[in-house]
């Protein structure tokens, strides 16, 4: 029996990529899932595939009201929130002369502001309950940036700084905070960018699979309560810098 059996796990950005892989990885362990993303049809299909107890909260998680609804719906359906995985994120890049400034602001609102808001909302509830685990999905780009990717890197570096502070602040409350920083992973995240404009275009490497990141998340969650893994970086074995 898994230590995660019966736990209530909330995942943002669960309709595709890493978020969906985390849901698929955890469902067989007997967890109860709360899944958020904007594409309701994708979430419904995933819930049907998983066949476990699933609550769907569709909507743009960058809207503050959706974050509150995510918490409220979790408590209404399952009575508690054991794990929050702040996974929803987008990638926008571009050169100085024609980078889309509005797109950058949308990315900051999702990758950083929404994750912070959710973390606080759920941390308050978890603190009241005396246990919980928040996992924020960052990126190796927090440290390994490339031209045109400065704001994406900035959102992830800010998320890592915030996470470390929250971990310290909650250290004696039973609420653990950790970060996973994936390397380049085969998902939809770069689909909107022409292949020659992607960050990996100059030095292509074998990409990770979303399942590799899900395994990292499970590693954090399966640690006994006395253990907190604050940061896990997952590189492709071909990654240099
Ligand atoms: P995908 O594009 O494959 O999936 C992103 C998920 O986020 C989708 O489920 C999407 O669903 C959801 N999403 C996007 N915008 C919103 C929004 N406003 N509100 C709610 N959900 C939203 O990307 P990945 O799986 O690759 O990305 C997951 C995380 O991993 C991100 O934080 C990303 O920065 C990070 N990461 C990814 C890497 C990679 O190489 N793939 C490397 C390092 C980090 P929908 O469109 O239905 O809303």
């Amino acid at each position: 029996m898994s230590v995660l059996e019966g736990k209530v796990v909330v995942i943002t950005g669960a309709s595709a990529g890493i978020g969906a892989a985390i849901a698929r990885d955890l469902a067989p362990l007997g967890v109860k899932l709360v899944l958020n993303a904007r594409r309701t049809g994708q979430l419904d299909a995933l819930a049907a595939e998983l066949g476990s107890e699933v609550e769907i909260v569709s909507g743009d998680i960058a809207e503050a009201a959706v974050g509150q609804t995510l918490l409220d719906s979790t408590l209404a359906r399952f009575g508690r929130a054991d794990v929050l995985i702040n996974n929803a994120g987008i990638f926008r890049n571009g050169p100085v002369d024609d980078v889309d400034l509005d797109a950058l602001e949308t990315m900051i609102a999702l990758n950083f502001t929404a994750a912070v808001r959710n973390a606080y909302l759920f941390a308050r509830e978890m603190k009241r309950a005396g246990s919980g685990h928040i996992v924020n999905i960052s990126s190796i780009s927090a440290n390994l940036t490339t031209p045109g990717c400065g704001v994406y890197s900035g959102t992830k570096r800010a998320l890592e700084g915030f996470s470390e502070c929250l971990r310290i602040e909650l250290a004696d409350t039973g609420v653990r905070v950790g970060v996973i920083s994936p390397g380049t992973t085969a998902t939809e995240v770069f689909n909107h960018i022409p292949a020659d404009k992607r960050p990996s275009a100059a030095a292509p490497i074998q990409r990770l699979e979303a399942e590799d990141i899900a395994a990292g998340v499970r590693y954090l969650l399966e640690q006994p309560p006395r253990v907190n893994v604050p940061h896990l970086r997952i590189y492709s074995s071909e990654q240099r810098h």
Side-chain angles (χ1 to χ4, degrees):
M1 183 184 128
S2 167
V3 294
L4 296 176
E5 183 166 0
K7 299 280 186 197
V8 178
V9 178
V10 181
I11 307 171
T12 68
S15 65
I18 292 169
I22 295 168
R24 288 191 178 98
D25 188 64
L26 295 179
L29 305 180
V31 304
K32 298 166 182 174
L33 290 162
V34 183
L35 306 179
N36 158 262
R38 293 164 303 175
R39 286 172 290 176
T40 313
Q42 303 259 120
L43 292 175
D44 287 340
L46 179 60
E49 174 197 323
L50 297 176
S52 44
E53 282 189 78
V54 178
E55 177 75 10
I56 289 174
V57 181
S58 56
D60 181 346
I61 198 66
E63 291 175 13
V66 176
Q68 185 65 53
T69 302
L70 189 62
L71 175 62
D72 294 345
S73 301
T74 302
L75 298 179
R77 170 81 184 262
F78 297 119
R80 59 180 203 283
D82 298 307
V83 176
L84 169 68
I85 300 169
N86 265 319
N87 166 73
I90 55 174
F91 177 86
R92 298 289 180 267
N93 67 339
V96 170
D97 292 332
D98 65 359
V99 68
D100 180 342
L101 298 179
D102 293 334
L104 296 183
E105 286 196 9
T106 301
M107 178 171 67
I108 294 166
L110 178 63
N111 293 11
F112 182 64
T113 312
V116 167
R117 176 175 285 277
N118 289 338
Y120 277 129
L121 287 176
F122 279 79
R124 289 171 185 166
E125 181 57 33
M126 291 170 175
K127 201 175 160 195
R128 267 194 290 274
S131 71
H133 205 149
I134 296 171
V135 178
N136 292 328
I137 304 297
S138 178
S139 166
I140 64 169
S141 297
N143 294 94
L144 307 176
T145 194
T146 49
C149 301
V151 178
Y152 178 77
S153 298
T155 63
K156 296 302 189 178
R157 195 179 284 204
L159 183 62
E160 293 188 5
F162 165 71
S163 303
E164 179 60 2
C165 182
L166 192 64
R167 180 191 68 75
I168 295 165
E169 202 173 331
L170 294 171
D172 60 353
T173 66
V175 183
R176 291 176 283 181
V177 179
V179 171
I180 303 249
S181 298
T184 306
T185 306
T187 69
E188 300 175 1
V189 77
F190 303 118
N191 280 8
H192 63 288
I193 304 172
D196 63 332
K197 300 268 191 323
R198 292 177 191 170
S200 56
I205 53 164
Q206 165 101 50
R207 292 187 296 174
L208 295 158
E209 298 295 332
E211 293 73 21
D212 303 328
I213 313 308
V217 170
R218 180 157 39 83
Y219 173 72
L220 261 64
L221 299 182
E222 286 185 335
Q223 297 306 308
R226 68 178 178 279
V227 177
N228 185 20
V229 179
H231 197 169
L232 186 63
R233 289 187 194 166
I234 306 177
Y235 283 23
S236 151
S237 52
E238 294 182 3
Q239 183 82 44
R240 286 197 170 81
H241 48 72

